[in-house]
Amino acid sequence: MNILNVLILIPLLSAVGVLFARNDKAVKMTALAGAVLELLFAGWLTYVYAKLRIAGATGAMLFQSSTTWFEPLNIYYRLGIDGISLSMILLTATVVVAGILVSWKIEKQVKEFFFLILLLATGAYGFFITTDVFAMFFFLELAVIPKYLLIGIWGSGKKEYSAMKLALMLMFGSALVFLGISGLYYFGGHTWNIQELVAQHIPVEVQRPLYVLIFAGFGVFTAMFPFHTWAPDGHSSAPTAASMFLAGISMKLGGYGALRVATFLLPEAAHDLSWIFIILASIAIIYGAFATMMQKDLKYMNAYSSVSHCGFVILGIAMLTKAAIMGAVMQMVSHGVMTALFFAAIGMIYDRAHTRQANELGGMLKQVPFIGTAFIISGLTSLGLPGFSGFVSEMTIFVGSWEHAGAGYRLATILACASIVVTAVYILRAVGFAIWGSVTNKEYLQLKDAAWNERFATFILVGGIVIIGLAPFLLTRLIESDVTGIMGMLLR
């Protein structure tokens, strides 16, 4: 059995185990044990992968295998990973452990809640390790439906509306992706295999519409302008763990697909048409930043800021320079852990104060110093403070984007850089309202700081932020050779 199957089997078996657990505590312990085991396995897999690369393994993908799935349509269950997919796996494992820990207080339909979380994780892991575009699409769909249920059942506010809106928009994105990959199959020699599609020379006039369909389809998952409207409503209505998963992992499915499928398999079209997505990414970055400034609800604030930050991912991919693409991958990882921490801190505050309105809070650092500190760290990461992951990823995108000559590309880079100022304004204002100062509401004097599970979740996420911020070479060494391979396709 291919070792990568373990990445799918652990969450899947944990989900089955959850269904047979006898009580709520057993359900939570089963889910947590599976998530921790997955994180440990992902760490061990990274070690083995690095050892093989150092020993001279040169294949584009390692641990490859292929099993017939549906022969009449040439669909195979093909597996393989490179440094980019491995970085996404590590991100997913980290966020899932943290999400389960902060969901320890869930009391409503506990078994169903943790089953859906683990099913989401299974879909994400499957998406990142398959090298057959149809299988990727299958796992992408597997990660959509549980979101609808998580928001609709365990959400808050206008949860039914938000869940329906999110599901319909993501299904629209899926439809675009399916049309695009169907075209790849038809014009690419009737194969779904990424490695075989690379060898096909699809005419550039065919590549262009397929590139737009696939990139735009995956762009919906990254909340790319103008398909971003599901994100603020979905994030704000979702329970904390689902918000962490949506922003931390689900939006990365789109970025990964835009890079791995659209850009890698359709390089000539990428050269011709990436300017479209540079424009949309620039609008998303600026619009998202200013929209965030207008928000008073902390969840809406983080959701709109995610639109802006994921705009950096699209910008980096569409710039088609090595540094910009490396920065885009780093930004996916950085934003994943940062926004998960932000949503976790907001969820902890809401559980205690029962409000997410920044102007109704105040003095949280005095009353709940651990949670207040987590909020500040996530905010400082968001505005790109040196030493945290946001700084290295955004700077890499800026430098890589500036390498692209041309007035339009330089203008997009300048706009992206300018958004940092806006980000600093809304982050510092939110911290000033909610965290600094004295406790204005006497009821908040009774608030208790983070519990053991919330502290563990915070330590895991902050650890990811600091490791990338202080030792970015660990991530860049993991992904550099694979980004070089993508550049080889773009320059051929």
Side-chain angles (χ1 to χ4, degrees), residues 362-375:
M364 289 294 109
L365 192 60
K366 284 185 178 177
Q367 197 56 37
V368 285
F370 187 91
I371 298 172
T373 303
F375 188 94

Side-chain angles (χ1 to χ4, degrees), residues 7-221:
L7 287 168
I8 295 178
L9 285 175
I10 291 176
L12 200 56
L13 292 177
S14 301
V16 174
V18 159
L19 292 179
F20 287 96
R22 288 183 296 183
N23 53 52
D24 290 351
K25 186 177 180 181
V27 167
K28 295 172 184 175
M29 291 304 296
T30 303
L32 180 61
V36 171
L37 184 62
E38 184 83 335
L39 180 59
L40 293 174
F41 180 76
W44 176 81
L45 188 64
T46 305
Y47 169 74
V48 173
Y49 178 89
K51 263 186 91 174
L52 289 172
R53 287 298 191 199
I54 292 170
T58 55
M61 292 278 178
L62 299 188
F63 310 111
Q64 292 192 70
S65 70
S66 179
T67 306
T68 303
W69 193 348
F70 187 61
E71 201 164 9
L73 288 181
N74 210 17
I75 299 172
Y76 286 78
Y77 176 62
R78 292 187 176 88
L79 302 179
I81 57 169
D82 62 3
I84 298 173
S85 48
L86 195 48
S87 64
M88 296 297 114
I89 290 166
L90 286 169
L91 168 66
T92 304
T94 303
V95 173
V96 171
V97 170
I100 288 175
L101 282 169
V102 301
S103 304
W104 216 251
K105 289 182 179 178
I106 288 285
E107 295 177 348
K108 174 185 175 184
Q109 294 174 274
V110 176
K111 188 174 288 188
E112 291 81 358
F113 178 86
F114 285 97
F115 173 80
L116 290 172
I117 289 289
L118 291 167
L119 196 61
L120 276 174
T122 304
Y125 288 121
F127 182 80
F128 291 132
I129 66 173
T130 50
T131 59
D132 182 293
V133 287
F134 190 92
M136 287 179 73
F137 181 77
F138 171 84
F139 285 110
L140 184 71
E141 290 300 286
L142 189 62
V144 169
I145 300 304
K147 295 171 197 167
Y148 171 79
L149 297 173
L150 282 166
I151 297 173
I153 298 174
W154 290 272
S156 58
K158 47 183 183 179
K159 57 184 182 180
E160 290 87 3
Y161 167 79
S162 300
M164 183 62 73
K165 185 176 183 179
L166 176 141
L168 290 177
M169 291 203 70
L170 294 188
M171 292 302 285
F172 169 68
S174 297
L176 295 180
V177 171
F178 184 73
L179 284 173
I181 63 173
S182 297
L184 278 177
Y185 174 78
Y186 185 78
F187 293 103
H190 293 82
T191 179
W192 304 98
N193 186 349
I194 287 180
Q195 300 301 319
E196 291 176 4
L197 286 168
V198 168
Q200 301 291 327
H201 189 77
I202 300 174
V204 67
E205 57 271 19
V206 176
Q207 286 193 28
R208 290 190 188 112
L210 299 183
Y211 172 78
V212 172
L213 282 171
I214 297 172
F215 204 117
F218 282 119
V220 176
F221 283 80

